[in-house]
Amino acid sequence: MIPLIFGITLITFIVIHLAPGSPVEVQTEMSLKVSAQAKENLKKLYGLDKPLHIQYVDWLKRFMKLDFGKSFVDGRKVIDKIIERIPITLTINILSLILIFLVAIPVGILSATRQYSLFDKLSTVFVFVGFSTPTFWLALLLMILFGVNMGILPISGIQSIDVSEMGPFDRLIDWIKHLIMPVGVSAFGGIAGLSRYSRSSMLEVIRQDYIKTAKAKGLPESVVVFRHAFRNALMPIVTILGLSVPGLIGGGVIFETIFAIPGMGQLFYSSTMSRDYPTIMGILVIGAILTLFGNLIADISYAMVDPRVRVRK
Amino acid sequence: MRLLKIIGKRFSRNRLSVIGAVIVLLLITVSLLAPFISPYDPTAIDVYNVLSPPGKSHLLGTDDLGRDLLSRIIWGSRVSLKVGFVAVGIAIMIGIVIGSVAGFYGRRVDAILMRFVDIMLAFPTFFLILAVIAILEPNIFTIMAVIGVTSWMDVARLVRAEFLTLKERDFVDAARAIGINNTRLIFRHILPNALSPVFVAATFGVGGAILIESGLSFLGLGVQPPDPSWGNILTAGKDNIEIAWWLSLYPGLAILITVLSYNLVGEGLRDALDPRLWEAERD
C-alpha cells in the first residue's frame, strides 16, 4: 500500500505540472500590474524556481504533514476545505453502499435461483438499462418528477432554509428528504452492476456438487440457498463492492453538483472551474487514498467471509 | 473465415444483441447523414420560438435560444460517435502495449507495469479526468485524449492475462526456434490470439466513453456550446427544469439508447467469442 500511495502522489504531481502556465501566472493573469519582481517572489514562495524533483520532494514532505498549501480562491488551507467536505460525501457513499447491498444481493439471489423466470428477465432488463443510464440524466428526471411535478422532495442542498426553526425530529426528516434522491442516484449504477454480479456468482455456486448433495439429502431450499450457496457466492461480491468505491467517489462530482450538495465532488468541480491547483492536488490524493482504504476494507471483509484466506496467512 | 462464420452465427442467435447492432449501425448512419437529415440548422437561434414544446414545426421542441432540439440531437450524435471511437482507440492501443509487454516479459517488468495499473485504478476516474481538463482547454479533442488515457487499465489486464497463458504454448516456442525477434513475436504471433477479449472490452468501452463525455459536457467541461452535444443540451435542460421537460428527456434518451445498444452488442460479442462455448459448435 505504501508504494501505491507513493505512486499516487507522483502521478498527481506530474498531472499538475503538465499545466502550460505556472500557478503563478494563473494567480497573476487577472492583474496586469504585477511586476516581474513580484512574480519572482511568488515563484520563490511556491518553490517553483527549484528543479522539478526537488519540488516533488518538498511537496511530498508537506504532504506527509497533510499540508497541501492554500487555496488560490479564498486563501484558506486546502486540507481544512477538504476535511469539512468529507463527512457529507462519506455519509452519502456509505448510505448508497448499504442501499446497493440491500437491493442488489436479494435481486441477484432471486434471479439466480429462478433463472429464466419472469423476475430474472425483468431484472436483466433493469441491469442493462441501469448500466447505460447517465446518472445525471436520471437525477434530472427524478428532480422533474419528485421535485417539480409532485413537489414532495427538495431538489437541492442538504437542508431547508428554515432548518434552524425545526425540532430535532423534523430536522432529521428534513435531512432524510434531502438525501433520498442523491443516495438513490449514486446507488443506481451500483445496484445494476452488483445484482448482475451476484446473480452470476450465485449461478456458479448453485452448479457445484455440494449444493446437489445438500438438496439430495432433503434440506429445505431456503437452507440450501442461504447457508450453503449464498455464503460461498458472497466472496466475489465483497471484492466488487470494494472495487466500486472509486466509481462512487468520482461519480460524486456529478450528482453533488446537480443536487448542490457541499461534498468533495462539488468542491472538486468548483476547483476545476477556477483552476485552483492546490485544492485539485489535495482532493486527487485524498480521493485516491480513500479508494485504497475502500480496497483494504474489502480485503479484510474478504478474509472474514472466506476462511481459506485466513488459513493461508 | 470459418471462424468468422461461427462467430457470426453465434452472435445472431442472441436477438437483443442483433437489435443493438442494428441500432448502432442506424446511429452511425444518422451521424454521417446529419447535414442532410436534420430539419434545421442546429445552431440557428430563433427568438420567436424560445422553449416551444414538441409540436408540428419542431418535433421535439426547441431550447432556450429557440434552436431545434431534434437537429441538435442529430448533430450531437456525431460528438458521441467521435469521442466513443477515438477514446476507445487510444485506450486500446495503450492497454495492448502495456498488457502485452507485461505479460510477455513477466517478472520485474510485469510487477512494475501492473503496479502502475493499480495506481491508475486507485484514482476515482472522474477526478483524474477533471484534473487534466482543469489544466488543458476543455474541448472535444481534450476529452477524447483524456478519456482514452484514463481508461486503458482493463484492456491492459485482459491482454496481460491472455499473454501469460499464450506464451507457454508450442507455437511461441516454434516461432522462437526459427529466430524471430521479440517485437515481431509479441505483435504478429501472440497478440492476434489475445484480441477477442479486447474486442469485447472495446465495445463496452465505447458506451462508457459516451457516458463520460456526456457527463463532462453536462458539467460544462466538455464540448462547448454552441456546438451541440447530448451532454450540453442537458445542461440547458437543467437550467429550464421547471418549464421545459423535453429538454431534459430526449437528449438523455438518446444517450441511454446509444449506450444500451453498444452494451448489448458487447454482451453478444462476449458470448460469441467465448471459446469455452465453441466446442459444441464444431461438430
Side-chain angles (χ1 to χ4, degrees), chain A residues 15 19 132 136-137 268-269 275 291, chain B residues 122 130 134-135 219 248 260 263:
Chain A
V15 165
S132 317
F136 60 97
W137 179 60
F268 199 92
Y269 172 69
R275 302 200 167 189
T291 306
Chain B
L130 245 60
I135 291 163
L219 291 175
S248 292
L260 186 61
N263 286 348

Side-chain angles (χ1 to χ4, degrees), chain A residues 4 7-8 11-12 15 19 128 132-134 136-137 144 196 246 250 253-254 258 268-269 272-273 275 283 288 291, chain B residues 116 119 122-124 126-127 130 134-136 214-215 218-219 221 234 238 241 248-249 252-253 255-256 259-260 263 267:
Chain A
L4 280 185
I8 286 165
I11 291 200
T12 306
V15 165
F128 269 96
S132 317
T133 308
F136 60 97
W137 179 60
I144 292 180
R196 188 70 180 169
V253 174
I254 289 189
I258 295 182
F268 199 92
Y269 172 69
T272 305
M273 290 308 248
R275 302 200 167 189
I283 303 183
T291 306
Chain B
F116 181 48
I119 293 167
F123 287 103
F126 229 85
F127 280 16
L130 245 60
I135 291 163
L136 305 169
S214 62
F218 175 74
L219 291 175
L221 297 167
L234 280 168
K238 181 182 185 283
I241 191 165
S248 292
L249 181 66
L253 267 185
I255 301 173
L256 172 62
V259 178
L260 186 61
N263 286 348
E267 189 79 1

Side-chain angles (χ1 to χ4, degrees), chain A residues 175-190:
Chain A
W175 187 72
I176 291 174
K177 270 184 160 178
H178 278 88
L179 286 189
I180 289 178
M181 284 204 281
V183 170
V185 167
S186 105
F188 187 73

Side-chain angles (χ1 to χ4, degrees), chain B residues 2-22:
Chain B
R2 244 199 95 192
L3 197 64
L4 271 184
K5 234 181 192 170
I6 297 177
I7 294 171
K9 213 170 101 190
R10 290 195 53 85
F11 183 83
S12 58
R13 203 171 300 161
N14 189 335
R15 233 181 308 154
L16 279 176
S17 302
V18 175
I19 296 175
V22 171

Side-chain angles (χ1 to χ4, degrees), chain A residues 4 18 33 47 49 58 72 84-85 101 119-120 181 186 190 215 258 261 268 283:
Chain A
L4 280 185
L18 288 175
K33 285 183 204 152
D49 51 347
D58 285 350
F72 287 169
E84 68 187 21
R85 301 286 186 131
F101 215 78
F119 179 83
D120 184 29
M181 284 204 281
S186 105
K215 276 186 184 157
I258 295 182
I261 290 166
F268 199 92
I283 303 183

